[in-house]
Amino acid sequence: MFAVFQYARKGARAIVLPLFALVLAACDTVPSSGFGTGTPTGEPVAVALLVPSGSGQGTDELLAQSLENAARLAMRDLNGATIDLRVYQTAGDASLAAANANKAVEEGAEIIIGPVFATNANAAAKAVAGRGISVLSFSNNAAIAGGNLFVLGPTFQNTANRMAAFAASQGKQRIVVVYGEDVAGTQGRDAIDRAVALQGGQIVGSVSYALSQQDVIAAIPQIKSAVEATAADAIFFTTDTATALPLLSQLLPEAGISTNVAQFMGLTRWDIPAQTLSLPGVQNGWFAIPDPAATAAFSSQYQAAYGSAPHPIGGLAFDAIAAIGALSSQGAGLSPAALTQGAGYRGASGIFRLNGDGTNTRGLAVATINEAQVQILNAAPQRFGGAGF
């Protein structure tokens, strides 16, 4: 998308920004009853895993294997629950995803986890919507969520809510939003607008840019003017380190707008890839990351089991099995009401819960960069209702 960018001076290599990897077993406060009879404890739960293999793309094959590995890793410790995992290919094709979702239910699946891509997940969920089967997809596209379809991927709204709450706690409530003129940029902007309003803050300016280096450079005077004219105390960027962030964070301080003037905040991770940490413009900026301790524990377990690092979204399959296993061990069933129990679950990158609208809420830490090192400013919450929520 931003391959046209040639970053001035210290260029950052283009990367694909990974999604947050996530979660390890259910929270201690999972209710032991109240959701119906469900599958009796001790009887295997038939779970269908829909993966993107079969497309002929090597990246899809690697992702599919990592998702299956992570799911099987989660199955090792489910507090007495057992899972009968059955894997189905989608080949990244919506029609095949729908067909295999139906096939999985016909073969006894009680719940479906996956697919990855939004169109495939939507097709699979629609195919089994009338059969009382929930789909826990690996997508992060909140637009498809709802009904029997849940998205496990990290959403803009969840990150925006965390960052806006932290900003408010630090007295930063006059915010200029800077966003790209694409779907991700506008969705990010809307999520920030909602989050800031929820915290009683104010969006005092909004500056967009087209997806080219020239247009980002042209936006710098507009951002400077918006900050100065409104006495903004923070700038909230929707972009990531693979696109406009390195350029924006370099040129704004050169124009006289640094994080000392208006706090730089991000909707994406600023610590990936590692070379981003050395960029002068991102120093002291704020961004959210998954619980570092939980993420490290999951990665270590995966490495020990399979001899390689998990795919960046592999932890989502772990999360799905963790939630299913937690409910099964309590005999709680797998209805939407059971899946969305308020206590949430604990998994590959900390706590998470499924919301009634099909989205999710994840416990995130707020971090900054100081002398090219990541520092935690506010730890990830360890339970819902605690600090950070």
Side-chain angles (χ1 to χ4, degrees):
M1 180 189 306
F2 265 67
V4 294
F5 276 27
Q6 297 297 323
Y7 298 124
R9 299 174 179 86
K10 292 186 178 179
R13 287 184 295 182
I15 55 108
V16 176
L17 183 72
L19 299 177
F20 297 149
L22 309 163
V23 212
L24 290 176
C27 295
D28 294 338
T29 50
V30 171
S32 59
S33 62
F35 296 123
T37 57
T39 301
T41 300
E43 295 185 11
V45 180
V47 177
L49 169 61
L50 270 58
V51 296
S53 55
S55 68
Q57 299 293 320
T59 53
D60 287 347
E61 299 300 326
L62 289 172
L63 172 55
Q65 189 60 62
S66 189
L67 289 167
E68 182 178 351
N69 288 347
R72 295 195 184 283
L73 184 64
M75 289 165 56
R76 297 182 181 185
D77 185 14
L78 293 178
N79 195 29
T82 55
I83 301 290
D84 177 11
L85 185 69
R86 308 170 190 183
V87 182
Y88 299 82
Q89 296 183 341
T90 69
D93 178 78
S95 60
L96 183 57
N100 276 341
N102 269 320
K103 180 182 178 182
V105 175
E106 290 168 0
E107 293 179 350
E110 301 168 60
I111 192 168
I112 293 171
I113 63 175
V116 175
F117 308 117
T119 53
N120 296 351
N122 199 38
K126 286 182 177 180
V128 299
R131 308 177 75 168
I133 301 296
S134 292
V135 176
L136 308 186
S137 79
F138 305 137
S139 172
N140 67 341
N141 187 344
I144 67 171
N148 68 324
L149 177 57
F150 294 86
V151 293
L152 286 172
T155 65
F156 285 144
Q157 195 63 62
N158 185 66
T159 304
N161 289 346
R162 178 64 165 115
M163 293 302 300
F166 179 74
S169 75
Q170 303 301 303
K172 308 294 185 183
Q173 291 194 289
R174 295 180 59 79
I175 296 172
V176 169
V177 180
V178 177
Y179 66 98
E181 295 171 356
D182 61 351
V183 173
T186 55
Q187 288 182 348
R189 174 204 62 195
D190 293 346
I192 292 169
D193 288 351
R194 289 187 291 266
V196 171
L198 186 65
Q199 295 299 323
Q202 184 178 2
I203 301 298
V204 296
S206 185
V207 180
S208 66
Y209 53 84
L211 306 188
S212 73
Q213 175 176 301
Q214 180 179 353
D215 287 299
V216 171
I217 293 172
I220 297 299
Q222 300 175 52
I223 301 169
K224 175 181 172 68
S225 177
V227 171
E228 294 178 339
T230 62
D233 51 31
I235 304 174
F236 209 147
F237 301 100
T238 65
T239 186
D240 59 38
T241 60
T243 52
L245 181 65
L247 194 57
L248 288 167
S249 65
Q250 173 187 304
L251 297 182
L252 278 172
E254 291 179 1
I257 303 297
S258 68
T259 198
N260 293 325
V261 175
Q263 178 65 53
F264 288 5
M265 301 166 53
L267 195 59
T268 62
R269 291 185 65 168
W270 291 10
D271 58 327
I272 301 171
Q275 58 264 38
T276 305
L277 300 175
S278 64
L279 297 177
V282 302
Q283 305 303 308
N284 302 312
W286 296 347
F287 57 99
I289 62 174
D291 185 331
T295 302
F298 167 68
S299 295
S300 177
Q301 291 178 21
Y302 187 101
Q303 181 83 33
Y306 302 110
S308 62
H311 187 280
I313 69 169
L316 297 177
F318 191 108
D319 294 355
I321 295 297
I324 294 166
L327 295 173
S328 177
S329 69
Q330 300 294 331
L334 298 173
S335 69
L339 289 165
T340 56
Q341 55 85 26
Y345 313 95
R346 186 175 300 278
S349 65
I351 61 171
F352 75 103
R353 65 183 171 194
L354 299 172
N355 303 321
D357 63 359
T359 63
N360 65 81
T361 301
R362 294 185 176 278
L364 303 173
V366 177
T368 191
I369 301 170
N370 186 14
E371 297 183 352
Q373 299 294 318
V374 176
Q375 295 183 351
I376 302 300
L377 295 174
N378 193 255
Q382 299 302 304
R383 60 183 178 83
F384 288 99
F389 286 106

